[in-house]
Amino acid sequence: MNKDKISIVILAAGQGSRMKSTKAKVLHSISGKPMLYHIIKSSVEISDDVTVVIAHQKESVKEQMNSYFSNITFVVQDAKNFPGTGGAMRDVRVKNEKVLVLNGDMPLITADSLKGFLDSDADIIMSIFNLVNPDGYGRVIIENTQVQKIVEQKDASADELKVTTVNAGVYAFSKSVIEKYIPLLNNDNAQKEYYLTDVIAMAKEDRLRISPLLVEEEYFKGINSKLDLAVAEEIMQNRIKSELMKSGVIMQLPQTTYIEDGVIFEGECIVENGCRITGKTLIVNSHIKAGTVIEDSIVKNSDVGPLAHLRPASFIEDTHIGNFVEVKKSSLKGVKAGHLSYIGDAQIDEGTNIGAGVITCNYDGINKHKTIIGKNVFVGSDSQLIAPITIEDDVMVAAGTTVRSGKIESGHLAVSSAKLRTIKDFYYKFFGKK
Ligand code: UD1
Ligand code: CA
């Protein structure tokens, strides 16, 4: 693909008031990444000149996008004097002869879905789709098979509102069209905004060639509300999980599981129903059982769950993690932790067994401390390991022990439970005999 054929401009300066949120619309996330991330990712696949127009919360939009991409240009819209999608284009300068303009609230766009805009020589190619419910979109007025204009919903007459052919919000312009018509836009409309969509009527007047391109909502849906966000999330999730299954992951009831963009699976993996796997997680040759949550962790040759929680920076290898076990910022290699444990800030080595109900007490109220457990250690059920603590290889910790000492040496037994007392007939004295 020839990336210097086309420039791409992404309009991301709007506030997005219909989202009812203090966060800029384009920063709301879909499958773990901001909406704008998804659209830039598709754009840089086909263009070497990508400009993002920003204004509302411009610093955080810029900062977040710079953390993902190194070669995009930012232009700040003078949104006070020139509000609207046309105003957003005023200070944009592009390199290439063809310019694709995308709304920043279309996270479902893929590089493939944009190909249709690249191979026509019309002056303007504009995206349209037909919707049963066109609510919110600009209506495309077509007469004698020719596009005449786009009317925004708020400016539309009762008849125009009935039109179900709508502007999807992607346009390919030749550079000269942008240079000529953007400065001519006015804000004589219901929203007192400069509409990019008004370019169509002006170009039509001048007899330029405007060619409509029918696109699919699955790729070109605009996100205006949190309801739209949820609909787009489902589409994105289906894509992510379909790709994973195609590449060999077994998923049981995949529609019940959430997997973020960027999670990597290798080898033979099974993900049972109802799991949530997020962030920079890598899973290799492992079985993730029902209801498990994994965040920013690495899991290799292991089985985890059901109902386990791996919090960020957990490294699990050749290990069995059973139900109701929470692990955080810990490395477990060749370990069995089968039931009801909290393992935080720990390093646990091969052959070690963590009994039911074992807790690493890693936090003293001010600082977090490390627990280091060597090879072939047997930690009995219901023990508390008060960090900082080192348990050397071949140690036995008796059930119900509170280990306070800084170090338990190899070969030792640690036991803290008091001697058992039994009091004869206490039960009957207390409750009486029935
Ligand atoms: C826009 C189109 C509408 C189309 C719809 C498709 C216009 C006037 N209307 O409407 O015809 O059916 O998209 O989804 O273009 N933005 C800026 N600066 C601004 C205002 C908006 O950069 O001053 C950006 C927003 O961040 C957003 C994009 O432009 O990413 C579209 O803005 P939005 O307000 O969502 O436009 P719609 O009303 O959906
Ligand atoms: Ca929109």
Side-chain angles (χ1 to χ4, degrees), residues 169-202:
V170 175
Y171 325 80
F173 297 104
S174 43
K175 191 178 181 178
S176 58
V177 169
I178 293 208
E179 286 168 350
K180 177 167 180 196
Y181 294 104
I182 295 295
L184 300 179
L185 292 172
N186 65 51
N187 65 347
D188 188 10
N189 54 52
Q191 303 185 80
K192 295 277 167 286
E193 287 187 359
Y194 294 81
Y195 293 160
L196 175 59
T197 45
D198 285 348
V199 167
I200 303 299
M202 290 194 279

Side-chain angles (χ1 to χ4, degrees), residues 11 13-14 18 25 77 84-85 103-105 137-138 152 167-168 224:
L11 308 181
R18 285 166 285 179
K25 174 163 75 173
Q77 177 184 358
T85 48
N103 285 351
D105 62 356
Y137 286 99
E152 289 310 301
N167 168 28
N224 295 318

Side-chain angles (χ1 to χ4, degrees), residues 202-219:
M202 290 194 279
K204 174 69 194 160
E205 189 90 342
D206 290 346
R207 299 180 181 283
L208 296 192
R209 286 162 305 157
I210 304 169
S211 122
L213 181 68
L214 193 64
V215 297
E216 288 170 60
E217 201 190 5
E218 190 193 330
Y219 296 98

Side-chain angles (χ1 to χ4, degrees), residues 191-387:
Q191 303 185 80
K192 295 277 167 286
E193 287 187 359
Y194 294 81
Y195 293 160
L196 175 59
T197 45
D198 285 348
V199 167
I200 303 299
M202 290 194 279
K204 174 69 194 160
E205 189 90 342
D206 290 346
R207 299 180 181 283
L208 296 192
R209 286 162 305 157
I210 304 169
S211 122
L213 181 68
L214 193 64
V215 297
E216 288 170 60
E217 201 190 5
E218 190 193 330
Y219 296 98
F220 290 84
K221 183 177 175 55
I223 309 306
N224 295 318
S225 66
K226 286 179 175 153
L227 177 61
D228 291 333
L229 192 69
V231 172
E233 181 69 273
E234 197 171 349
I235 294 171
M236 188 67 86
Q237 278 297 301
N238 285 338
R239 278 186 204 166
I240 289 173
K241 290 178 288 187
S242 303
E243 284 308 312
L244 290 173
M245 287 182 275
K246 276 188 215 157
S247 70
V249 178
I250 294 176
M251 299 190 76
Q252 294 170 339
L253 297 181
Q255 67 276 22
T256 63
T257 282
Y258 176 84
I259 301 182
E260 283 187 354
D261 177 270
V263 172
I264 298 172
F265 286 85
E266 288 171 6
E268 304 264 330
C269 294
I270 302 177
V271 180
E272 294 183 2
N273 54 297
C275 294
R276 179 179 177 91
I277 306 175
T278 63
K280 287 200 176 95
T281 291
L282 168 66
I283 298 178
V284 184
N285 293 325
S286 292
H287 187 157
I288 311 303
K289 296 186 182 166
T292 290
V293 176
I294 303 179
E295 307 159 283
D296 289 301
S297 290
I298 297 177
V299 180
K300 292 184 177 169
N301 306 323
S302 297
D303 66 283
V304 180
L307 296 160
H309 187 185
L310 304 185
R311 290 171 49 207
S314 297
F315 181 85
I316 309 295
E317 189 172 3
D318 301 325
T319 285
H320 161 67
I321 300 282
N323 48 192
F324 309 111
V325 173
E326 173 183 347
V327 181
K328 185 217 79 173
K329 204 177 173 187
S330 293
S331 129
L332 279 68
K333 195 163 182 256
V335 174
K336 287 197 175 101
H339 338 260
L340 295 154
S341 272
Y342 172 60
I343 298 168
D345 301 295
Q347 183 188 317
I348 308 179
D349 216 335
E350 278 166 41
T352 286
N353 186 87
I354 304 293
V358 170
I359 307 283
T360 56
C361 308
N362 60 328
Y363 185 49
D364 59 14
I366 300 167
N367 295 307
K368 303 270 166 70
H369 301 282
K370 286 209 75 165
T371 297
I372 297 174
I373 303 177
K375 295 190 171 71
N376 304 318
V377 172
F378 182 88
V379 183
S381 296
D382 191 32
S383 293
Q384 303 101 57
L385 311 176
I386 301 181

